[in-house]
Amino acid sequence: MLKLLLHWVVSAITLLIISHFLAGFVVRDLQAALVAALVIGLLNATLGFLLKIITFPITILTLGLFLLVINALMILVAAHFVPGFHVHGWIPALWGAAALALVGIALHAGQKRV
């Protein structure tokens, strides 16, 4: 449970950091970032999971890079539901998906060492 909370908070902080460096990626405050990270996680666990199953052949052909497109889509969908979280276009969403993926990889690698 603690790992899940840690991942949620770190993802929210990542969204805040991305918003400072990436034009078109806007997070108003920490509360919006926490809600956005929660909504993105829930979307990835439900709709994202279904899309990943459906697009599995494309994912194989692109060596997994298509997963970034699906994650960017989840970020764009979350931006429509979360007040204070706005993403203007595909490019900022792709960069945000890449950053969140890198943070997820780093957290997962850190957990294996402990």
Side-chain angles (χ1 to χ4, degrees):
M1 183 70 164
L2 184 62
K3 292 178 185 179
L4 185 64
L5 288 173
L6 176 69
H7 194 278
W8 175 47
V9 171
V10 171
S11 294
I13 292 170
T14 303
L15 289 174
L16 282 171
I17 292 170
I18 293 168
S19 71
H20 287 294
F21 293 106
L22 188 61
F25 202 96
V26 180
V27 181
R28 183 182 62 222
D29 55 7
L30 180 61
Q31 180 181 1
L34 287 168
V35 173
L38 181 66
V39 170
I40 291 168
L42 290 173
L43 283 170
N44 271 329
T46 56
L47 181 62
F49 179 71
L50 180 66
L51 287 173
K52 288 170 188 171
I53 291 172
I54 292 170
T55 61
F56 185 69
I58 297 170
T59 303
I60 295 296
L61 289 174
T62 61
L63 302 176
L65 289 177
F66 193 73
L67 292 175
L68 286 176
V69 174
I70 294 173
N71 289 338
L73 179 63
M74 296 303 105
I75 289 172
L76 286 171
V77 171
H80 287 291
F81 293 113
V82 179
F85 176 57
H86 305 284
V87 180
H88 305 285
W90 275 95
I91 301 300
L94 279 171
W95 281 109
L100 286 173
L102 289 174
V103 167
I105 290 169
L107 281 176
H108 187 69
Q111 290 174 0
K112 293 231 179 207
R113 287 188 200 151
V114 174

